[in-house]
Amino acid sequence: MFRILSHNAPHMRIVRLLLLAFVVVAPSQASAQLVADGPVVYGHHHLNVSNIDAHKKFWADTLGGTVVRIGTDNREAIRIPNVWIFFRAQAPTAGSKGSTEDHLALSVPNLDATLAKVKANGYRVATGEESPASYNVSGDVASPAPGVRLAFVFGPDDVKVELFEARMQTEPIKLHHIHFASDENSAMRDWYAKTFGATAPPARPNAVFLTATLPGVTMNFSPAMAKTAATTGRAYDHIGFEVKNLAEFLKTLEAQGIKPTRALQHNDVLNIDLAFITDPWGTSIELTEGLRNLH
């Protein structure tokens, strides 16, 4: 088994990165969905699940998301500010840990209260041995720097979720960041920055914890000791970005040599346009236009 999320950056730099991530995703309207605006914003996570009811208990009853019905088929999904959680009733081949999309991070106003509910509902909290070596772990809570509190929990089908405490937050939960892992995390960060127009600070010499930001989300990239698995079929089957003028965006990608793995099509059930691409490390990515209109 290999370790991921090895954060060796100085503590104060990690604090600044985490605080930046929080500021970037802060919505302007607490009740809105996909409130971030830009040519490309983060849209959704699509999960393969062995039991939809079990995941509703985790994402909604435990963590604080909202179960809603969408589409002409009245399907159930989880609404969390700035991200949708969609389900496919299909047993995953493995959990998220060990894949390129290691975990999704959500912020909560009271970490201790959320962790108490997590444990009361029978879900596992990561041990200190599973946390990055640079973290100071006390009980269930890890602190990469003074004043920063977070924890990693595992839901049904071994979906890994980071919970980041944001005490001034008024919403019960919202998107904080998505976290990738790769044995080529620097190249991965650069690919996402170029492909989606994300802002990426200059890489420091020997840096191991890298970031790039889009409206509504920070993307974190940590090194893995070995090659990570592709996402297709696993608990986090694919990630999703909402794109303005998707047809033109796809033409731009093809000019860069990025060909869709599923061509542009219209989904009548959700009334959105969509296409799929795959990053060079095996992360399946859905591109949508119209997801921001769902409520």
Side-chain angles (χ1 to χ4, degrees), residues 48 88 90 93 229-238 278 282-284:
N48 291 316
R88 177 189 294 126
Q90 172 180 302
T93 57
T231 60
T232 300
R234 296 177 74 105
Y236 290 153
D237 183 85
H238 61 268
T278 302
T283 310
S284 181

Side-chain angles (χ1 to χ4, degrees), residues 232-252:
T232 300
R234 296 177 74 105
Y236 290 153
D237 183 85
H238 61 268
I239 62 176
F241 293 93
E242 171 78 349
V243 180
K244 289 183 178 179
N245 201 342
L246 179 55
E248 288 300 316
F249 185 75
L250 289 170
K251 291 178 183 178
T252 300

